[in-house]
């Protein structure tokens, strides 16, 4: 791999900091942090604009219809038109709303989503804010999303908004438990909470073609699936977007928002989706490592964004395929299946580790996952519950 190409963004940052070479350390630290922040915002706001139009085009293709194709070539300027529309729309605030809380809610939810992006390694030596407890920071910051959702529902002084906020919070707390617990096996095996250490632990290949990613182990594959499903819920994506069920509670906690405030909520959901997907790549898919040794010449940040793009495409694919589920089904699935399976991943990872991390450990780990999965599937058999209904009409 060409080191100059792989580290080109590091060199650009060094060039930008060069005029401050003689400045105090605190000035250099602030300047470095500001460069990282503006780089993150530039990349992910651009990605948000791009995916907002690509999602509509992909969904249109899935559903055999046209997507945006009028504004600019191939409809690529549609995000610009949407942004202008949101900026010039009237900002309506209910007369009896708590104006301060109503105003702060979208700011808080967007800020927490952006902060979560700061600890993810996007390439070799390309972690914006490398801290030892990066995983802990990610979930600590992410947990404030529930507070922002509650602020939006409470501050709107609207029953629909409040009901939507309560449903969203119940759903998010329920799935935040398996989301966090599925990271425990990775942290236990690596012995660190640093995302950089987790990516470094997945370096190497067997026979030059099988990467040492955690997703290639039975416990890692199960934890990755559970993490991905929990990420769907946390990102409020189909089929778990019940807080915004239009047929039931209008637009949930966003009912009383319009204009740019509504766009901020919309943006925060997508940035949260980027953050969850980026953490999934870091924890289970080898981070910025290439899938096979022969492709290591490609820059590390390219591999990270290729993996991120694949996960984002799956998010869109799921949205275009599955219908919205009921709130009781979602909650039952979280507490009766997701949570026990998440704890099972911890046991399976321990078995894999103490069995020597070889073939025997792989098989024993698979056996633990399979036994618990089939046991839960038998105990939670829902075929009778969802059997074909026969309707009897009056004579």
């Amino acid at each position: 791999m060409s080191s100059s190409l792989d580290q080109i963004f590091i060199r650009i940052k060094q060039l930008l900091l060069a005029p401050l070479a003689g400045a105090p350390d605190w000035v250099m630290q602030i300047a470095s942090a500001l460069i990282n922040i503006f780089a993150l915002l530039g990349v992910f706001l651009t990605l948000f604009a791009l995916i907002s139009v690509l999602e509509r085009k992909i969904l249109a293709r899935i559903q055999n219809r046209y997507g945006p194709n009028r504004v600019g070539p191939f409809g690529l300027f549609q995000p610009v038109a949407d942004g202008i529309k949101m900026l010039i729309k009237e900002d309506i605030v209910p007369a009896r709303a708590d104006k301060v809380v109503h105003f702060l809610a979208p700011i808080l939810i967007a800020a927490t989503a952006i902060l979560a992006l700061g600890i993810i390694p996007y390439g070799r030596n390309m972690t914006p804010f490398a801290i030892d407890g990066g995983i802990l920071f990610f979930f600590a910051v992410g947990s404030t999303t529930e507070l922002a959702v509650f602020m939006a529902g409470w501050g709107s002084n609207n029953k629909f908004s409040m009901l939507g906020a309560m449903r969203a919070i119940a759903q998010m707390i329920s799935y935040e438990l398996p989301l966090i617990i599925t990271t425990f096996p990775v942290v236990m095996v690596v012995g660190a909470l640093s995302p950089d250490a987790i990516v470094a632990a997945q370096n190497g290949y067997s026979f030059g073609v099988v990467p040492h990613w955690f997703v290639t182990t039975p416990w890692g594959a199960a934890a990755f699936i559970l993490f991905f499903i929990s990420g769907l819920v946390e990102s409020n994506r189909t089929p778990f977007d019940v807080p915004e069920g239009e047929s039931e509670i209008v637009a949930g906690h966003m009912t009383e928002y319009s204009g740019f405030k509504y766009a901020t909520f919309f943006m925060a959901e997508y940035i949260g989706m980027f953050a969850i997907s980026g953490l999934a790549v870091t924890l289970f898919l080898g981070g910025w490592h290439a899938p096979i040794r022969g492709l290591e010449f490609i820059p590390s940040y390219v591999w990270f964004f290729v993996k991120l793009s694949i996960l984002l495409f799956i998010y869109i694919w799921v949205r275009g395929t599955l219908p919205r589920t009921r709130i009781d089904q979602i909650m039952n699935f979280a507490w009766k299946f997701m949570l026990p399976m998440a704890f099972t991943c911890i046991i399976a990872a321990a078995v894999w580790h103490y069995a020597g991390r070889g073939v025997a450990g792989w098989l024993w780990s698979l056996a633990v996952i399979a036994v618990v999965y089939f046991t839960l599937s038998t105990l939670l058999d829902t075929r009778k519950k969802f059997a074909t209904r026969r309707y009897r009409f009056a004579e």
Side-chain angles (χ1 to χ4, degrees):
M1 173 176 41
S2 174
S3 176
S4 59
L5 185 59
D6 186 58
Q7 299 294 294
I8 185 170
F9 296 107
I10 305 299
R11 296 177 186 276
I12 292 173
K13 180 181 175 181
Q14 291 171 347
L15 289 174
L16 292 173
L17 292 174
L20 302 175
D25 289 342
W26 63 270
V27 174
M28 291 289 289
Q29 291 174 359
I30 292 175
S32 176
L34 289 174
I35 291 173
N36 291 340
I37 290 169
F38 283 115
L40 274 179
L41 289 175
V43 170
F44 283 99
L45 289 179
T46 302
L47 184 58
F48 162 65
L50 186 62
I51 199 172
S52 67
V53 66
L54 286 180
E55 178 169 20
R56 282 179 278 182
K57 282 185 168 292
I58 294 170
L59 291 175
R61 178 65 65 177
I62 291 172
Q63 297 166 354
N64 196 26
R65 59 183 175 83
Y66 290 108
N69 57 6
R70 289 292 183 268
V71 186
F74 306 105
L76 293 178
F77 291 165
Q78 186 65 46
V80 178
D82 292 339
I84 294 172
K85 179 185 73 174
M86 289 297 182
L87 281 170
I88 63 177
K89 281 188 74 173
E90 182 181 4
D91 178 26
I92 301 172
V93 180
R96 295 187 180 182
D98 188 322
K99 306 264 188 314
V100 176
V101 176
H102 187 272
F103 174 77
L104 290 177
I107 297 174
L108 179 61
I109 198 169
T112 55
I114 293 170
L115 281 173
L117 295 170
I119 55 90
I120 298 173
Y122 298 101
R124 186 177 282 103
N125 304 320
M126 289 179 62
T127 307
F129 301 100
I131 54 179
D132 292 337
I135 303 299
L136 191 62
F137 175 84
F138 184 95
F139 290 113
V141 168
S143 63
T144 59
T145 303
E146 285 88 334
L147 176 61
V149 170
F150 178 76
M151 289 170 61
W154 178 267
S156 298
N157 193 23
N158 178 299
K159 290 182 175 64
F160 286 114
S161 298
M162 196 62 196
L163 285 172
M166 290 298 98
R167 279 173 50 154
I169 291 169
Q171 175 180 306
M172 292 164 75
I173 290 175
S174 298
Y175 280 86
E176 206 164 77
L177 289 171
L179 184 75
I180 295 173
I181 292 169
T182 50
T183 65
F184 288 175
V186 176
V187 172
M188 288 165 48
V189 168
V190 176
L193 284 164
S194 168
D196 291 299
I198 291 171
V199 172
Q202 298 177 77
N203 188 23
Y205 306 87
S206 297
F207 312 109
V209 293
V210 180
H212 293 167
W213 300 352
F214 292 133
V215 76
T216 59
T217 63
W219 61 267
F224 170 70
I225 294 171
L226 296 173
F227 187 93
F228 183 81
I229 294 172
S230 300
L232 281 172
V233 181
E234 291 294 308
S235 302
N236 198 22
R237 300 281 301 184
T238 304
F240 304 108
D241 58 339
V242 292
E244 299 172 29
E246 296 87 351
S247 60
E248 303 166 14
I249 46 177
V250 196
H253 57 280
M254 298 186 292
T255 300
E256 296 293 353
Y257 283 90
S258 62
F260 200 70
K261 289 179 184 176
Y262 183 86
T264 303
F265 275 108
F266 187 67
M267 179 188 70
E269 283 188 5
Y270 275 89
I271 292 180
M273 184 172 68
F274 301 155
I276 289 286
S277 300
L279 187 63
V281 171
T282 300
L283 291 172
F284 303 105
L285 301 180
W288 43 261
H289 290 298
I292 59 175
R293 192 182 300 278
L295 296 176
E296 288 185 332
F297 66 92
I298 298 175
S300 56
Y301 50 85
V302 172
W303 284 119
F304 178 88
F305 281 99
V306 166
K307 297 173 187 177
L308 182 67
S309 300
I310 292 172
L311 291 185
L312 295 177
F313 174 75
I314 296 174
Y315 270 89
I316 298 170
W317 191 357
V318 168
R319 181 181 177 184
T321 306
L322 299 179
R324 180 182 292 125
T325 52
R326 294 199 318 258
I327 185 67
D328 61 308
Q329 295 171 346
I330 292 174
M331 302 301 282
N332 283 332
F333 186 60
W335 292 102
K336 295 180 181 179
F337 182 82
M338 294 282 290
L339 198 57
M341 284 302 299
F343 282 113
T344 303
C345 291
I346 298 177
I347 299 172
V351 170
W352 176 80
H353 173 72
Y354 288 109
R357 301 192 178 192
V359 175
W362 200 95
L363 293 175
W364 278 110
S365 176
L366 178 62
V368 171
I369 296 290
V371 167
V372 176
Y373 173 79
F374 285 112
T375 301
L376 287 173
S377 299
T378 302
L379 294 175
L380 303 176
D381 189 2
T382 57
R383 282 178 294 182
K384 294 181 180 178
K385 188 175 181 180
F386 297 105
T388 303
R389 295 180 181 179
R390 292 186 179 180
Y391 293 96
R392 298 179 182 273
F393 298 95
E395 293 294 338

